[in-house]
Amino acid sequence: MAESLTSTAGTGASLTTNGECLAVAGLVECLLKFLKGVLQTITDGTSSNGMSLSEAARTDSSDGILSGKVSLVDRLLSLISQADDIKDISVASALIFSRMLVGFKRYYKRHYFTIVDARSEWALLGQSGVYVIIQRLVSLESFKKHAFASYCWESLQNLIPETLEYGRYAEDFFGVANNVLRSLEDSYRQNLQLTTYVQDWSALLLRHHHDEFVGRDSLDWVIFGISDLLQWCIQYIKSTKKPIKISGNLVQLLLRAHLFPLISESTGEEPIASAMPVLHSKTRANLYGIVFALCNDVGEYHRLLRTVRSLLRQGEGPQAWTWGIAQTAEDYSYDTNWNFERSNTIRSPMGYPGLRNLTNTCYMNSLLTQLFMNVRFRGFMLGADIVDCKHTQRLLAETRTLFGYMQGTALKQVDTQGIADTLINYENTLIDVSVQMDVDEFYNLLFDRWESQILSDEGKKTFRSFYGGQLVQQIKSKECPHISEREEPFSAIQCDIQGKANLAESLSAYVGGEMMEGENKYSCTSCGNYVDAVKRHKINERFEFPERIDMAPYSIEYLQDTEQPLSPDLFELVGILVHAGTAESGHYYSFIKERPTKPEQGASWVEFNDAEVTPFNPAQIPDFCFGGVTEPPGYAASSYSKTWNAYMLFYQRVRADDIGLHQEQPLALGVPVQKTLSRDLSKRITIDNETFLRKVCLYDSTHAHFAISLLDRLRSITNSCCSENHGVERDAVLFALEYADQVLSRMKESTDFERLLDSLTAVLRGCSVCCKLALEWIVDNTDIFRNLLLRCPTARVRKSFTDMLIRVLLYLRENDPQEYGFDVDGLELKSGNGVLPETSCGILQRLVYNMRELWSVLHVHSRAWDDYFGLLAAVASFGVPETFILLREDFLKLCLEILIIEAPGAKRLRVESPHYTQFIRLLEKGRRYSLTNLTELLQNLLLKVDLEARSFDPNYHDRPQLDGGKFALSNTEDMYLYYGTESGRFRPLVFLDKIITANSNAMAVKKILQAMIPAEPRAGHLTDILKTILNGVNIDPADQAEPHLRAALIFCETTPSAPTVKEMIVQIAREVDTIGTSGGAAAGRTMPPSTTIQQNGAEDGVVVGAAFVDVL
């Protein structure tokens, strides 16, 4: 019928008249009648030929009924598009669309979800037919779409409650519902009970339990669709300035139902029903939009702030989760993962976590995953009788915990440290996780230790039945009729593969035996003689090792009588443990078949490779597991032996009458099998998952956008006027700081940290009280201060933090100098003893003190030197009072110390300060430190120091402030400033040579030289400065002399001594013949005009300047 409709409509004609539109109307009516027949068939539960729906969907008859359905829908859409081009289609369009709507209202409304739930070919007509047509109609320009949308909406809105039962099939429905709602005319929308919609849809949203699966990017279309409708309705109501009246606190209810459910309590005897948040970012964005839209007054805003802030961690805890590790033991700690990636912490989409490699424990991981995936063995270990979990049965207890987390955790990987810390090897010591172990040896050790901790004989027997059986060692004499047999238990068959083509050959050789003759004759205990005999190994008892291989020919019954009828004993392959590498080193990983599975799911294989769990195609087993030779495509001549092949095979017996198999079926398609856990372990895993998923949601980008929007909303919600007690402002500021520290600063490749701090700075620079709140929190939380300034590996995070501090400090300095640290009257510094600031000290002094305390660890954070010294340099540039604080805290001395510490004569200083010894070691290992902002800080401090004044002893005097507002050097600072290595009659200055050679801040070096040289000759170090520069000019290779040549020019421009300038020129002239081409280019780049040197005021300055230029 569908084909006839398509052909009747024609294939290439265009609609140009109302008559042709009437033809389209007839086609639409025919389509609706056809739909009615299909829907009636579904309602009756049978197809037209009497078969069930599922049968009909799998037969050719259904294809015959629906043949041409795609072309029919496409043709209808084409005809509608052509009808849109007709100028006068009022009659035709009315006919077409009234027919469409009548059919939709009568049949589609009633049977839509039945169609899609049938999961048959008929769903195409429902989803790709009617809905696509409706979407097209709503978008037509010339059609009266508002009337159509209004008519449609009456049917759609009544269907919304039914979507809760058919969530996975609701995508198209909500797509059309949203489109239709937005297409309604304003006049029609204003007559709708939108507030009632909001109330009803909110109730549906709160009632619905989403079906997202942790690890998969699955979207629950019900919660997404309803939240999308709900958010649009709320925004529309707000745009009309009408109040939104909703019973109950919807904001808090939504937060707790879907965004951040409450963490379960560990107390109580009842099992915990886990409350999992919605994880999909698109849905969370909708929910945040609803929450934000409903936050319309200060009270609601403040409650929301307190709730969101309470989600953050209060106090430092174990940070294993930031690495995606499920920590099974509480006595291990982990450093925070600073480059947190949300997607790398959640378990695999396969539904299983991986295992953490402790160093070289891939052998342990590959075996444990094989054993865990044996569902019955897992169930036995989870239900093991354990009465002493701390001592005699600790390994069993750790295994139970490990298997429990492997089954239930939401994290990417599970920690195996507990197993490693309880497994004693045959030398009676703990296994060494840094040493690779043979997996076969580990297999025997592990099973031996497990069995020794099982209490009952029955338990031991059951344990051995999973992996093992009885091996009969039989010796049959060739000279007498006697047979000697001895049974031995085994847990694995050691197959000889050398010279064998396949497993069948290996097993045949295994039971074939070996001749015992000559000197190896067998002593027959029955005859008392030595006789020739055959020693054979045969499998006596069935064992639960799987692959499609018949083990009956290798049983003792068959080997004793090969003529007897043989009943097959089939095993199927369920696991392959692979080794890649050489005999001396390599890596283990596993391919494992999921079992049991639902019949409709089919076989599914998984690759477990330490923390990584991925799907595996069993068709690749020959390439990945058989070994042999590989030939890269297109390189047949360069074949080579594979270094990866199967090392251990796991087989499982195929039994049709598998007792209790139905109890081990997965709960749903694609959901791994779950075994019963103990109440305490189940609670522990559930609470760990809830806590982890809450943190994962905090790291979602939608939460960052919500947090920034929430902070931006502060000024508008309070009308840019802070409250009297600053309660709401305090919570907003502290929330922003805590969220920036705990979440945004740790996220990898995110710009949200900078955006949040920009918003926070805008808030702080509007109120000095808010400014003080933020700065006090920063200086009080020294660990957080160190995290954001030094520890964080992301440069833009550190820079954003220091930029914010500088801007906020300047604002407080201008608007509240007393809190900043000045006396109000004369802008004098507040008191402080320079050791531990008193409570009366201002913010600045406390901040500087904190930075002083970080000096002993500064060498560890080489990448943060520019941030650390950049902040200090900025503070020094504020003014004289700030310089005094930095001088008082010895920052000039410390900067000079770190520049001279490598000098041979500074050994005593290194001994007295151990962190300098560590600093030297790091330098020797190649660690590099930027001196850019350290040089800037030196410049800012030295410009406020009188180098001509006599130094003072800080043990007896406070630092004096001299005329002109400058300060005197301390004795130690003076010594370090002019500290040099003895070489004849002069001492090259170590600190000066260091900053010139670094060539990282030429302008700061210039200003330092311009501050030092005018202090001569009174300071008595002009020659030392000259020789320091010349030493660098003489460097080899010569092209590295450019920084010192530049310093030489500054020296000549600044020094008042013409003879010294002449000496500089003469010395450089002597190096001209050795500088080469690259050195000449460097010298050329530093040439000054002669007039520059004239400005030094020397009597023969012009001559000197010209001569210097000529030499260069």
Side-chain angles (χ1 to χ4, degrees):
M1 185 192 74
E3 290 176 344
S4 64
L5 288 176
T6 306
S7 60
T8 301
T11 57
S14 299
L15 300 178
T16 58
T17 68
N18 282 341
E20 291 172 340
C21 279
L22 290 175
V24 177
L27 289 175
V28 173
E29 186 171 11
C30 288
L31 170 64
L32 292 171
K33 288 181 179 180
F34 176 62
L35 271 177
K36 179 181 178 180
V38 173
L39 293 168
Q40 187 61 47
T41 301
I42 294 176
T43 304
D44 294 342
T46 59
S47 64
S48 58
N49 60 3
M51 291 185 292
S52 67
L53 290 179
S54 59
E55 291 173 339
R58 292 194 297 268
T59 61
D60 293 336
S61 60
S62 63
D63 291 336
I65 293 173
L66 299 174
S67 61
K69 56 189 175 296
V70 176
S71 58
L72 171 62
V73 170
D74 290 344
R75 186 59 183 154
L76 285 173
L77 290 173
S78 173
L79 293 173
I80 291 172
S81 298
Q82 294 172 25
D84 189 35
D85 296 330
I86 301 176
K87 295 180 179 180
D88 183 12
I89 61 168
S90 57
V91 176
S93 61
L95 283 171
I96 293 174
F97 303 129
S98 64
R99 304 274 189 195
M100 188 78 233
L101 290 171
V102 169
F104 175 80
K105 186 173 182 180
R106 288 182 179 177
Y107 307 112
Y108 198 70
K109 170 186 171 183
R110 179 181 174 189
H111 298 291
Y112 167 69
F113 292 113
T114 309
I115 293 176
V116 294
D117 195 32
R119 292 192 298 275
S120 68
E121 298 267 348
W122 294 316
L124 181 62
L125 285 175
Q127 294 176 333
S128 299
V130 178
Y131 266 5
V132 173
I133 291 173
I134 292 175
Q135 293 274 33
R136 175 61 184 153
L137 301 183
V138 173
S139 64
L140 292 179
E141 292 296 331
S142 59
F143 175 59
K144 296 179 179 179
K145 60 182 179 182
H146 298 301
F148 172 76
S150 303
Y151 195 92
C152 239
W153 178 249
E154 294 179 9
S155 301
L156 288 169
Q157 59 96 9
N158 290 327
L159 277 175
I160 292 175
E162 298 183 32
T163 60
L164 270 65
E165 299 180 30
Y166 304 96
R168 71 178 63 179
Y169 311 114
E171 177 181 0
D172 289 327
F173 172 83
F174 280 111
V176 170
N178 273 284
N179 198 352
V180 169
L181 181 59
R182 286 162 171 78
S183 301
L184 297 172
E185 284 185 323
D186 280 342
S187 58
Y188 182 83
R189 272 198 297 255
Q190 290 174 5
N191 293 325
L192 293 176
Q193 299 297 319
L194 292 180
T195 302
T196 303
Y197 288 165
V198 171
Q199 190 76 41
D200 294 344
W201 295 343
S202 299
L204 292 176
L205 203 57
L206 296 173
R207 196 173 80 202
H208 178 63
H209 298 284
H210 68 85
D211 61 357
E212 290 184 355
F213 187 84
V214 177
R216 298 174 189 164
D217 194 27
S218 57
L219 191 149
D220 186 299
W221 289 106
V222 172
I223 191 170
F224 174 76
I226 294 178
S227 62
D228 208 18
L229 290 170
L230 191 57
Q231 182 180 199
W232 188 89
C233 271
I234 293 173
Q235 294 290 3
Y236 181 79
I237 295 172
K238 291 183 68 175
S239 70
T240 63
K241 309 298 182 182
K242 293 181 180 179
I244 302 176
K245 298 179 180 179
I246 304 175
S247 60
N249 192 337
L250 183 58
V251 169
Q252 297 295 324
L253 291 174
L254 279 179
L255 280 169
R256 294 312 185 188
H258 294 302
L259 289 171
F260 295 99
L262 292 172
I263 305 297
S264 302
E265 296 289 339
S266 59
T267 58
E269 299 297 323
E270 297 298 321
I272 297 175
S274 178
M276 192 181 78
V278 171
L279 297 177
H280 201 284
S281 294
K282 289 176 65 176
T283 308
R284 293 187 69 84
N286 280 350
L287 294 171
Y288 282 129
I290 296 170
V291 168
F292 195 72
L294 291 174
C295 187
N296 297 314
D297 57 63
V298 175
E300 184 61 49
Y301 178 84
H302 199 181
R303 283 190 294 273
L304 178 59
L305 262 179
R306 287 198 296 262
T307 301
V308 175
R309 188 184 171 203
S310 69
L311 301 173
L312 298 171
R313 185 184 71 250
Q314 303 300 321
E316 195 73 22
Q319 299 299 301
W321 70 270
T322 65
W323 299 93
I325 300 173
Q327 189 171 347
T328 59
E330 298 179 357
D331 52 347
Y332 301 108
S333 60
Y334 296 80
D335 292 332
T336 300
N337 178 9
W338 280 99
N339 290 301
F340 181 84
E341 288 185 274
R342 183 174 181 259
S343 59
N344 283 343
T345 62
I346 301 177
R347 74 183 177 203
S348 160
M350 301 300 295
Y352 305 102
L355 296 179
R356 178 189 173 217
N357 192 323
L358 303 179
T359 301
N360 282 314
T361 54
C362 56
Y363 65 91
M364 178 194 298
N365 296 345
S366 58
L367 179 61
L368 286 173
T369 50
Q370 291 281 359
L371 303 177
F372 166 79
M373 291 293 283
N374 183 331
V375 177
R376 289 183 170 174
F377 181 77
R378 184 202 315 172
F380 173 82
M381 298 300 283
L382 289 172
D385 182 20
I386 300 176
V387 296
D388 183 13
C389 61
K390 298 294 184 181
H391 300 95
T392 59
Q393 291 181 290
R394 188 180 171 191
L395 177 61
L396 270 183
E398 291 290 349
T399 304
R400 180 175 64 183
T401 301
L402 178 71
F403 278 11
Y405 271 90
M406 290 175 70
Q407 174 175 285
T409 187
L411 283 94
K412 181 181 180 68
Q413 55 186 313
V414 182
D415 198 349
T416 56
Q417 189 69 53
I419 298 291
D421 287 350
T422 55
L423 187 56
I424 306 297
N425 60 26
Y426 293 120
E427 285 75 38
N428 206 32
T429 62
L430 288 174
I431 62 171
D432 187 348
V433 297
S434 66
V435 177
Q436 181 81 278
M437 194 174 183
D438 182 87
V439 72
D440 180 53
E441 178 187 352
F442 178 72
Y443 173 85
N444 293 320
L445 171 67
L446 183 63
F447 271 72
D448 181 55
R449 296 298 186 250
W450 270 338
E451 184 175 352
S452 69
Q453 295 188 9
I454 296 174
L455 299 178
S456 66
D457 292 338
E458 186 65 28
K460 292 178 184 290
K461 180 179 179 181
T462 303
F463 173 77
R464 287 192 292 267
S465 71
F466 288 106
Y467 291 96
Q470 291 295 321
L471 180 74
V472 177
Q473 186 180 91
Q474 183 187 81
I475 301 179
K476 184 176 181 181
S477 172
K478 297 176 65 176
E479 301 175 11
C480 65
H482 302 132
I483 297 176
S484 172
E485 290 185 347
R486 184 175 76 252
E487 290 191 354
E488 299 176 354
F490 76 94
S491 59
I493 300 175
Q494 304 291 334
C495 291
D496 181 14
I497 63 173
Q498 187 172 7
K500 310 298 187 297
N502 50 52
L503 184 60
E505 290 186 10
S506 296
L507 289 173
S508 296
Y510 187 80
V511 299
E514 60 178 287
M515 288 298 301
M516 302 178 67
E517 55 189 1
E519 295 182 355
N520 192 34
K521 280 190 175 185
Y522 167 67
S523 175
C524 180
T525 56
S526 299
C527 300
N529 297 321
Y530 284 93
V531 296
D532 291 342
V534 177
K535 179 180 179 180
R536 296 195 301 192
H537 298 276
K538 301 180 296 298
I539 301 170
N540 183 42
E541 195 170 88
R542 294 180 179 181
F543 55 93
E544 293 192 12
F545 283 9
E547 172 176 16
R548 284 288 173 180
I549 184 170
D550 187 1
M551 296 298 292
Y554 312 108
S555 65
I556 189 172
E557 292 83 5
Y558 176 76
L559 291 172
Q560 286 178 338
D561 184 5
T562 57
E563 301 298 326
Q564 65 175 335
L566 186 64
S567 298
D569 188 10
L570 296 178
F571 286 74
E572 67 173 343
L573 180 68
V574 295
I576 308 169
L577 198 154
V578 178
H579 180 265
T582 65
E584 291 76 25
S585 64
H587 179 63
Y588 292 102
Y589 51 95
S590 280
F591 302 128
I592 308 175
K593 181 181 180 181
E594 289 187 281
R595 71 264 189 202
T597 56
K598 287 183 178 294
E600 64 268 25
Q601 186 175 359
S604 173
W605 281 71
V606 184
E607 177 181 351
F608 288 85
N609 193 336
D610 288 336
E612 301 302 322
V613 181
T614 55
F616 175 69
N617 183 359
Q620 295 179 304
I621 288 177
D623 185 39
F624 281 79
C625 307
F626 285 1
V629 176
T630 183
E631 295 182 357
Y635 298 91
S638 60
S639 61
Y640 57 88
S641 297
K642 295 179 181 178
T643 59
W644 59 92
N645 53 11
Y647 192 83
M648 185 179 287
L649 302 177
F650 292 81
Y651 294 88
Q652 183 169 300
R653 176 174 278 117
V654 178
R655 294 189 295 188
D657 59 341
D658 205 345
I659 301 173
L661 182 63
H662 63 282
Q663 298 177 351
E664 296 175 354
Q665 292 292 331
L667 299 176
L669 197 66
V671 177
V673 175
Q674 301 287 301
K675 300 298 290 184
T676 303
L677 303 180
S678 68
R679 184 187 62 215
D680 291 343
L681 181 57
S682 177
K683 284 185 177 181
R684 178 179 166 187
I685 295 172
T686 298
I687 294 173
D688 282 357
N689 283 342
E690 291 174 349
T691 305
F692 165 67
L693 291 175
R694 168 175 288 189
K695 293 170 180 175
V696 165
C697 290
L698 289 173
Y699 279 83
D700 185 58
S701 59
T702 59
H703 188 72
H705 300 158
F706 171 70
I708 295 168
S709 299
L710 200 60
L711 185 61
D712 289 339
R713 187 75 173 273
L714 176 64
R715 307 314 293 176
S716 62
I717 205 80
T718 59
N719 296 319
S720 299
C721 181
C722 290
S723 59
E724 186 175 348
N725 64 357
H726 276 77
V728 63
E729 291 80 10
R730 179 182 182 277
D731 279 328
V733 169
L734 297 187
F735 161 68
L737 289 168
E738 290 166 354
Y739 184 61
D741 165 52
Q742 296 182 29
V743 178
L744 296 184
S745 67
R746 289 163 165 78
M747 292 177 68
K748 185 176 182 180
E749 297 179 357
S750 171
T751 59
D752 292 324
F753 184 89
E754 297 97 297
R755 292 178 55 220
L756 179 68
L757 259 61
D758 286 343
S759 296
L760 178 59
T761 303
V763 170
L764 298 180
R765 288 173 61 85
C767 172
S768 59
V769 176
C770 293
C771 189
K772 179 191 172 188
L773 282 171
L775 290 171
E776 282 187 333
W777 184 88
I778 291 170
V779 297
D780 288 342
N781 291 278
T782 54
D783 284 340
I784 294 174
F785 181 65
R786 179 180 176 183
N787 284 343
L788 296 178
L789 183 64
L790 299 182
R791 285 196 179 112
C792 181
T794 308
R796 65 171 181 269
V797 168
R798 300 192 305 270
K799 186 177 186 307
S800 295
F801 178 64
T802 54
D803 286 348
M804 183 201 74
L805 278 178
I806 293 168
R807 295 169 65 188
V808 173
L809 283 170
L810 281 172
Y811 178 84
L812 191 63
R813 185 182 199 269
E814 296 169 3
N815 293 275
D816 195 342
Q818 188 171 12
E819 291 297 337
Y820 177 76
F822 294 156
D823 287 331
V824 178
D825 293 336
L827 294 184
E828 297 294 335
L829 292 172
K830 278 190 174 180
S831 61
N833 59 20
V835 179
L836 182 63
E838 313 231 351
T839 55
S840 61
C841 289
I843 291 290
L844 178 64
Q845 291 96 315
R846 294 161 62 190
L847 179 68
V848 171
Y849 171 77
N850 285 349
M851 299 194 71
R852 174 65 177 82
E853 288 296 293
L854 294 176
W855 188 265
S856 61
V857 297
L858 190 60
H859 62 281
V860 179
H861 307 288
S862 56
R863 60 191 164 198
W865 272 37
D866 274 346
D867 305 289
Y868 178 86
F869 289 109
L871 178 56
L872 289 171
V875 170
S877 69
F878 289 176
V880 173
E882 287 81 4
T883 302
F884 175 78
I885 294 177
L886 295 176
L887 290 172
R888 187 186 64 190
E889 292 295 337
D890 287 334
F891 275 104
L892 178 56
K893 178 178 79 73
L894 293 171
C895 289
L896 293 170
E897 265 183 6
I898 209 162
L899 291 173
I900 69 170
I901 197 64
E902 293 179 81
K907 182 178 180 180
R908 184 177 62 84
L909 185 58
R910 294 195 292 270
V911 173
E912 292 174 351
S913 304
H915 58 276
Y916 284 143
T917 302
Q918 298 171 16
F919 175 60
I920 295 297
R921 290 198 188 109
L922 291 173
L923 287 172
E924 291 171 348
K925 290 180 179 180
R927 184 77 66 90
R928 293 292 177 262
Y929 298 83
S930 172
L931 301 182
T932 302
N933 287 338
L934 187 154
T935 310
E936 187 80 16
L937 174 60
L938 269 179
Q939 166 210 296
N940 292 344
L941 295 177
L942 289 174
L943 290 179
K944 303 229 177 24
V945 170
D946 189 344
L947 298 177
E948 297 184 51
R950 177 178 296 181
S951 61
F952 74 100
D953 188 343
N955 294 320
Y956 300 100
H957 305 284
D958 293 331
R959 186 182 299 270
Q961 186 171 12
L962 309 174
D963 295 339
K966 292 191 174 183
F967 301 96
L969 289 172
S970 70
N971 292 343
T972 305
E973 291 165 349
D974 183 74
M975 178 179 67
Y976 289 167
L977 186 66
Y978 297 107
Y979 184 85
T981 55
E982 296 294 342
S983 178
R985 292 176 299 170
F986 69 92
R987 304 187 331 149
L989 304 183
V990 175
F991 108 88
L992 185 59
D993 182 66
K994 189 85 170 181
I995 62 175
I996 295 175
T997 302
N999 194 25
S1000 58
N1001 194 335
M1003 184 57 68
V1005 170
K1006 178 178 180 179
K1007 290 184 178 181
I1008 290 172
L1009 284 170
Q1010 289 173 341
M1012 292 180 68
I1013 294 172
E1016 304 300 333
R1018 185 176 301 178
H1021 297 285
L1022 187 61
T1023 301
D1024 293 337
I1025 297 173
L1026 170 70
K1027 297 301 183 181
T1028 301
I1029 295 172
L1030 287 175
N1031 264 8
V1033 173
N1034 298 339
I1035 196 172
D1036 187 24
D1039 59 342
Q1040 297 182 10
E1042 181 175 352
H1044 287 80
L1045 285 169
R1046 198 161 45 236
L1049 293 176
I1050 299 168
F1051 182 91
C1052 292
E1053 292 171 2
T1054 312
T1055 182
S1057 171
T1060 308
V1061 173
K1062 288 181 179 179
E1063 182 180 356
M1064 175 74 75
I1065 294 173
V1066 170
Q1067 293 292 336
I1068 293 177
R1070 291 174 180 172
E1071 298 297 320
V1072 169
D1073 293 336
T1074 63
I1075 62 176
T1077 304
S1078 59
R1085 285 193 295 271
T1086 62
M1087 289 193 300
S1090 59
T1091 54
T1092 302
I1093 302 178
Q1094 289 178 5
Q1095 295 173 2
N1096 61 27
E1099 182 179 346
D1100 48 357
V1102 175
V1103 178
V1104 171
F1108 191 72
V1109 173
D1110 289 341
V1111 169
L1112 294 179

